[in-house]
């Protein structure tokens, strides 16, 4: 709004809605949409049973922003780049049909996965990447009644209509997130690579979770941030890990598989190799600490 990118006719304050609780039950958590990121990151059950979530939240923004930013707000922040924020430049997300200035412009930090000829902006959320890796459910409510949307399907790839970023229907509001505390969640890790040590979007991040028994991977989750137009679930990497012996060879194959479908452009081709290395390092860090 300050940049003139958005000019809404009306703003609705939802700050007084009763959506600030973190309810713990036998097999998981129910998190209200207005829970601050800092509160969720510091919750003892999250730190112990869902470390990837706590780590992702603490890697996002600054302490001041985390104290105010909410779970629902984080999930619904716009997928954007510098051209989206500059009304003088063409942007199909801001003005459908106007073109994408990033295609031939400055796109070193842009996406290599899930892109289209209409938009190559990266999704900015660290929280969303962790939720995708945890198979979280996002609770929404609206005129049609309450429903739950899988975190893996909440955000839309740009395709031919990059102005549509989520599956939320008109009038719907995120009310919370449901999380399961299981073996995968407890054995998880978030790695974020950025150009400076704090307060920066990811150039590439990986949320990984493994169920390892007797040195063999029985289940795996791998999600990527900073490299795609949505929080990206690397299903091929997961499939390649299951049944494999924990170690460098399996992790290298997973890193290669995580780049499947990448379409780099002139200045962001380095992200393909970065994906591979970040996945390998995240898996190595996780198993070195917990197996």
């Amino acid at each position: 709004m300050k940049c003139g990118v958005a000019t809404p006719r009306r703003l609705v304050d939802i700050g007084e809605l009763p959506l600030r609780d973190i309810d713990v039950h036998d097999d998981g958590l129910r998190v209200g949409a207005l829970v601050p990121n800092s509160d969720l990151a510091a919750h003892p059950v999250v730190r112990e049973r869902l470390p990837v979530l706590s780590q992702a939240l603490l890697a996002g923004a600054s302490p001041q922003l985390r104290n105010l930013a909410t779970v629902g707000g984080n999930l619904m922040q716009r997928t954007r780049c510098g051209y989206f924020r500059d009304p003088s430049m063409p942007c199909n997300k801001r003005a459908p049909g106007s073109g994408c200035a990033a295609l031939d412009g400055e796109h070193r930090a842009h996406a290599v996965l899930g892109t289209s000829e209409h938009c190559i902006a990266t999704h900015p959320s660290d929280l969303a990447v962790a939720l995708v890796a945890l198979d979280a459910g996002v609770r929404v409510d609206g005129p049609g009644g309450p429903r739950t949307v899988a975190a893996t399907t909440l955000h839309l790839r740009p395709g031919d209509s990059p102005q549509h970023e989520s599956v939320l229907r008109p009038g719907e509001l995120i009310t919370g997130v449901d999380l399961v505390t299981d073996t995968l969640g407890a054995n998880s890790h978030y790695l974020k690579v950025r150009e400076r040590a704090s307060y920066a979007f990811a150039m590439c991040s990986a949320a990984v979770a493994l169920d390892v028994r007797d040195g063999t991977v029985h289940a795996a989750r791998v999600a990527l941030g900073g490299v795609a137009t949505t929080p990206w679930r690397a299903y091929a990497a997961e499939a390649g890990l299951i049944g494999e012996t924990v170690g460098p060879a399996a992790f290298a194959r997973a890193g290669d598989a995580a780049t499947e479908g990448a379409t780099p452009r002139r200045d962001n081709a380095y992200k393909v190799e970065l994906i591979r290395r970040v996945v390998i390092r995240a898996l190595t860090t996780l198993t070195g600490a917990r197996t």
Side-chain angles (χ1 to χ4, degrees), residues 29-268:
L29 296 172
R30 172 159 282 200
V31 181
L34 293 180
V35 170
N37 287 359
S38 55
D39 288 4
L40 184 58
H43 194 281
V45 175
V46 174
R47 295 179 64 181
E48 179 181 354
R49 302 295 304 278
L50 302 167
V52 67
L53 179 56
S54 181
Q55 292 161 5
L57 286 165
L58 293 174
S62 65
Q64 295 93 331
L65 289 178
R66 291 195 297 269
N67 287 339
L68 290 175
T70 64
V71 170
N74 190 302
L75 289 176
M76 291 306 294
Q77 61 183 306
R78 299 295 302 270
T79 304
R80 60 197 185 274
C81 74
Y83 296 110
F84 170 79
R85 295 173 63 88
D86 183 354
S88 70
M89 301 298 293
C91 171
N92 289 317
K93 186 179 292 293
R94 188 184 65 248
S98 63
C100 175
L103 295 178
D104 296 315
E106 170 55 50
H107 56 246
R108 181 176 177 275
H110 285 60
V112 297
L113 291 165
T115 61
S116 75
E117 289 302 311
H118 301 281
C119 183
I120 58 173
T122 55
H123 191 276
S125 174
D126 295 287
L127 166 63
V129 177
L131 293 183
V132 164
L134 292 170
D135 254 351
V138 179
R139 289 179 285 111
V140 303
D141 205 348
R147 64 188 180 110
T148 298
V149 177
T152 52
T153 61
L154 176 65
H155 298 96
L156 299 172
R157 300 184 193 181
D160 295 331
S161 53
Q163 71 274 21
H164 300 304
E165 298 178 3
S166 79
V167 299
L168 264 63
R169 300 163 186 159
E172 284 192 325
L173 174 76
I174 291 178
T175 58
V177 172
D178 291 327
L179 295 153
V180 175
T181 49
D182 57 9
T183 301
L184 277 167
N187 192 40
S188 60
H189 180 66
Y190 188 73
L191 173 63
K192 180 177 181 178
V193 174
R194 44 195 163 181
E195 290 191 318
R196 60 178 184 265
S198 65
Y199 196 31
F201 290 138
M203 301 305 288
C204 179
S205 66
V208 297
L210 296 177
D211 178 2
V212 179
R213 306 174 205 169
D214 298 323
T216 300
V217 179
H218 283 252
R221 304 244 182 84
V222 179
L224 304 173
V227 293
T229 55
T230 66
W232 193 262
R233 185 78 174 264
Y235 290 106
E238 296 175 0
L241 285 166
I242 296 173
E244 296 294 320
T245 300
V246 168
F251 296 165
R253 289 191 292 270
D256 290 337
T259 68
E260 184 177 287
T263 54
R265 294 185 176 271
R266 183 192 65 236
D267 298 329
N268 65 359

